[in-house]
């Protein structure tokens, strides 16, 4: 496969001669195993349209990698796509040199080149892998796949009858192809690139099966560039049991589960009667059908349904709760402000400020559910939309931020999503594998249910305190996980020293 020509303004879109996208494989890996991943273009059928996309091992999503907690595997990645790339193993606390950050932990893999990663799985939970070069393009084109790490203890999760690993995505299709991307940099940097076709588990019409009385465990990952998903299955009973990195402090019954880009949730669903149950994305103004669960009559009600009725607790996070009192009361170690500038001289069409202080908040929840001004959003880029993470104590922004920590630190970071900005909107904030964190309070209110996380959604106008448990030395990135925002510069890196001694 040839690379994109140097003079090209957009990436290729021709499907001629490309293999068809194939079903996603489940690959079980044991400690010490080696597995090959390759990136290549495919033809994918979206409804009635054939489009050119990119895939890991010919499938969208790429192979689901399943491994036991504590394992370490070798993953050999070959790039037969159309641009240089890396693979970031999202949420995993691994050795820094395998984190997949171009120019920091590795050189980008050229077209025709390869790179070998050593990936370890110290924590159970649901993770995923994706590019960290032109993330806006790679994610939209289909480069994502899940990693499921099974806990060491057999009874770490409550019992479930069957499992489904489901990605949540949207793609923008125009004139019978994925809407073009500029080779020289991202567009849609104001709100991120919203799609007009929902792609759930790689399908425009996902169909899952179950029987009455069964508990179906859904492993959900939001792989979209910018869209928030609020997932519900009306007519069923849903229970939130896990998040980014394992179980919640306590299970809770829910009507729906809200996921910002890169967040994960583990949801148990009980179906008590037969029929077709829609899988829905619910916003304040609309309901989107993402697929369905077809439930047949079961002969025997499994005992799993009885276990579903109990709300189990996670003792390890209960112990963390007991330690939090002192953390809640002390001032933050670092404060990070989320800000935006839209230079007046470069406003696209002179309309950029028409929507800034009301667009994100017409539902009153500080969230951008839709792209309400798509033409203006499409014209925004790094010249007229500047997203910033600002260290409050120094005024340094984005790549100029200079933080350093030590292994063993518990760092309280205050995340302030200011309304005093040219464009207030929500941001999902992600910290790479330096450690994991707990969300401990929102707007001064203690978080009622703890979970180890690597991404947190901060609504427009909200202040969120997190407690980062620093465990891994190296140079680590932190950024907004709206792909167009991080590719616009809304990211920085910090160092972690392996020496945890105190002077």
């Amino acid at each position: 496969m040839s690379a994109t020509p140097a003079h090209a303004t957009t990436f290729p879109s021709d499907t001629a001669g490309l293999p068809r996208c194939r079903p996603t494989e489940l690959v079980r890996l044991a400690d010490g195993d080696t597995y090959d991943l390759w990136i290549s273009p495919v033809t994918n059928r979206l409804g009635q349209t054939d489009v050119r996309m990119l895939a890991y091992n010919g499938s969208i999503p790429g192979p689901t990698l399943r491994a036991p907690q504590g394992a370490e595997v070798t993953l050999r990645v070959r790039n037969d796509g159309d641009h240089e790339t890396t693979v970031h193993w999202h949420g995993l606390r691994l050795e820094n040199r395998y984190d997949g950050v171009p120019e920091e932990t590795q050189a980008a893999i050229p077209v025709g080149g390869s790179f070998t990663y050593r990936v370890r799985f110290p924590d159970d939970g649901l993770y995923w892998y994706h590019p960290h070069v032109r993330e806006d393009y790679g994610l939209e084109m289909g480069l994502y796949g899940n990693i499921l790490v099974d806990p060491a203890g057999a009874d770490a999760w409550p019992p479930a009858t069957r499992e489904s690993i489901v990605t949540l995505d949207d793609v923008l299709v125009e004139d019978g192809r994925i809407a073009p991307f500029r080779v020289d940099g991202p567009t849609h940097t104001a709100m991120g690139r919203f799609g007009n076709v929902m792609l759930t588990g790689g399908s425009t019409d996902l169909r899952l099966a179950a029987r009455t009385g069964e508990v179906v465990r859904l492993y959900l990952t939001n792989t979209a560039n910018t869209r928030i998903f609020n997932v519900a299955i009306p007519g069923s009973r849903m229970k939130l049991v896990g998040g980014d990195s394992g179980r919640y402090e306590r299970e809770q019954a829910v009507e729906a589960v809200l996921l910002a880009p890169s967040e994960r949730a583990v949801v148990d669903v009980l179906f008590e009667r037969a029929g077709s149950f829609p899988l829905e994305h619910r916003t304040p103004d609309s309901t989107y059908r993402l697929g369905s669960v077809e439930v047949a009559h079961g002969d025997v009600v499994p005992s799993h349904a009885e276990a579903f009725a109990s709300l189990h607790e996670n003792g390890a996070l209960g112990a963390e709760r007991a330690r939090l009192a002192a953390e809640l009361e002390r001032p933050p170690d670092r404060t990070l402000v989320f800000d935006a500038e839209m230079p007046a001289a470069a406003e696209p069409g002179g309309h950029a400020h028409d929507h800034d202080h009301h667009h994100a908040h017409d539902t009153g929840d500080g969230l951008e559910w839709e792209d309400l001004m798509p033409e203006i959003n499409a014209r925004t880029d790094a010249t007229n939309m500047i997203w910033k993470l600002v260290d409050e104590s120094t005024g340094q922004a984005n790549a100029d931020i200079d933080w350093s920590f030590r292994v063993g630190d518990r760092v309280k970071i205050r995340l302030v999503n200011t309304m005093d900005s040219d464009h207030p909107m929500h941001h999902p904030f992600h910290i790479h594998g330096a450690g994991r964190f707990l969300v401990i309070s929102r707007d001064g209110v203690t978080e009622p249910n703890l979970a180890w996380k690597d991404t947190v959604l901060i609504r427009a106008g909200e202040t969120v305190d997190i407690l980062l448990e620093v465990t891994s030395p190296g140079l680590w990135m932190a950024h907004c996980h709206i792909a167009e925002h991080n590719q616009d510069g809304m990211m920085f890196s910090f160092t972690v020293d392996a020496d945890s001694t105190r002077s």
Side-chain angles (χ1 to χ4, degrees):
M1 302 291 178
S2 62
T4 300
H7 62 271
T9 57
T10 59
F11 291 101
S13 60
D14 187 13
T15 60
L18 296 181
R20 289 221 165 253
C21 192
R22 60 191 199 184
T24 298
E25 289 185 295
L26 173 63
V27 178
R28 294 186 180 271
L29 298 173
D31 186 39
D33 280 356
T34 297
Y35 184 71
D36 291 330
L37 282 172
W38 66 92
I39 297 164
S40 61
V42 295
T43 297
N44 197 18
R45 187 82 166 167
L46 300 182
Q48 301 302 311
T49 305
D50 281 339
V51 298
R52 183 187 193 278
M53 297 183 73
L54 294 171
Y56 293 112
N57 294 21
S59 68
I60 300 173
T64 297
L65 309 180
R66 189 162 191 166
Q69 184 178 2
E72 185 175 46
V73 301
T74 298
L75 295 166
R76 299 183 301 206
V77 177
R78 179 175 172 82
N79 180 16
D80 290 322
D82 51 32
H83 67 303
E84 64 179 20
T85 193
T86 63
V87 180
H88 170 56
W89 312 95
H90 184 112
L92 295 179
R93 296 190 291 163
L94 39 56
E95 193 176 344
N96 183 241
R97 60 179 167 159
Y98 300 126
D99 191 43
V101 176
E103 301 174 10
E104 290 192 0
T105 67
Q106 70 173 96
I109 309 168
V111 174
S114 59
F115 188 87
T116 298
Y117 296 88
R118 291 280 296 170
V119 178
R120 60 191 182 208
F121 309 110
D123 309 301
D124 66 297
L126 181 63
Y127 306 94
W128 64 301
Y129 56 96
H130 62 77
H132 229 292
V133 175
R134 281 305 299 272
E135 195 171 325
D136 61 309
Y137 174 65
L139 283 181
E140 177 83 349
M141 296 301 285
L143 291 178
Y144 51 82
N146 271 123
I147 302 168
L148 183 57
V149 181
D150 292 314
D155 59 350
W157 291 99
T161 318
R162 62 178 82 200
E163 301 173 329
S164 291
I165 299 169
V166 178
T167 52
L168 306 166
D169 196 12
D170 64 346
V171 291
L172 184 61
V173 178
E174 295 177 348
D175 301 321
R177 62 177 181 166
I178 304 293
F181 286 79
R182 290 195 329 216
V183 169
D184 63 352
T187 56
H188 298 78
T189 54
M191 279 83 81
R193 177 171 160 135
F194 283 83
N196 54 11
V197 175
M198 301 295 174
L199 198 58
T200 311
S203 173
T204 55
D205 185 23
L206 179 71
R207 292 178 184 267
L208 304 177
R211 300 179 73 84
T212 53
E214 290 186 341
V215 175
V216 178
R217 177 157 299 144
L218 297 180
Y219 294 96
L220 303 174
T221 304
N222 184 346
T223 64
N225 284 30
T226 193
R227 186 180 294 275
I228 291 172
F229 282 93
N230 189 43
V231 181
I233 306 177
S236 72
R237 293 170 59 192
M238 295 176 61
K239 185 168 73 168
L240 178 65
V241 298
D244 293 359
S245 191
R247 288 175 53 203
Y248 268 90
E249 180 184 7
R250 63 180 62 85
E251 297 167 10
Q252 63 183 92
V254 292
E255 295 293 322
V257 178
L258 182 70
L259 289 170
S262 91
E263 283 190 303
R264 286 89 67 205
V266 185
V267 183
D268 285 355
V269 187
L270 174 64
F271 296 96
E272 296 176 296
R273 58 183 177 82
S276 181
F277 295 80
L279 181 69
E280 295 179 346
H281 163 47
R282 295 177 169 180
T283 80
D285 298 320
S286 304
T287 297
Y288 297 86
R289 184 184 175 93
L290 303 177
S292 63
V293 184
E294 307 300 326
V295 181
H297 286 287
D299 296 330
V300 180
V301 176
S303 59
H304 295 168
E306 299 172 13
F308 181 92
S310 300
L311 297 178
H312 303 88
E313 297 194 358
N314 179 346
L317 280 173
E320 289 291 343
R321 169 77 63 187
R323 300 174 63 190
L324 280 185
E327 308 286 3
L328 288 164
E329 294 170 4
R330 71 181 179 90
D333 301 302
R334 299 284 192 279
T335 298
L336 196 64
V337 178
F338 295 68
D339 201 0
E341 294 178 3
M342 302 183 81
E347 289 174 18
H351 301 295
H353 285 121
D354 290 354
H355 68 295
D356 54 21
H357 281 287
H358 68 265
H359 175 58
H361 315 295
D362 46 17
T363 56
D365 58 9
L367 300 175
E368 301 256 11
W369 291 97
E370 308 282 355
D371 186 353
L372 300 183
M373 304 192 78
E375 293 182 5
I376 289 175
N377 187 26
R379 291 198 297 268
T380 55
D381 58 26
T383 68
N384 51 41
M385 182 76 234
I386 301 168
W387 286 107
K388 297 200 298 184
L389 297 166
V390 182
D391 179 358
E392 187 179 67
S393 64
T394 65
Q396 293 171 319
N398 293 346
D400 292 332
I401 292 174
D402 184 23
W403 290 0
S404 61
F405 307 121
R406 294 183 179 187
V407 169
D409 286 349
R410 285 166 68 89
V411 185
K412 183 176 181 179
I413 303 173
R414 179 157 293 166
L415 306 170
V416 180
N417 195 353
T418 179
M419 292 294 290
D420 186 18
S421 160
D422 285 348
H423 179 45
M425 74 172 285
H426 68 262
H427 298 282
F429 180 66
H430 170 52
I431 299 179
H432 283 215
R436 53 186 184 170
F437 62 77
L438 299 170
V439 177
I440 60 175
S441 68
R442 296 176 187 268
D443 289 334
V445 178
T446 302
E447 188 77 351
N449 199 2
L450 299 176
W452 287 114
K453 291 183 64 63
D454 55 67
T455 306
V456 57
L457 173 63
I458 306 115
R459 298 171 185 245
E462 188 176 39
T463 294
V464 176
D465 285 354
I466 65 174
L467 188 68
L468 174 65
E469 178 188 77
V470 182
T471 61
S472 308
L475 180 64
W476 299 101
M477 183 168 276
H479 59 86
C480 174
H481 217 288
I482 292 175
E484 288 75 16
H485 291 185
N486 66 56
Q487 296 302 297
D488 190 41
M490 200 176 193
M491 56 171 69
F492 68 97
S493 294
F494 60 93
T495 57
V496 175
D497 191 334
D499 180 10
S500 61
T501 60
R502 300 296 177 201
S503 57

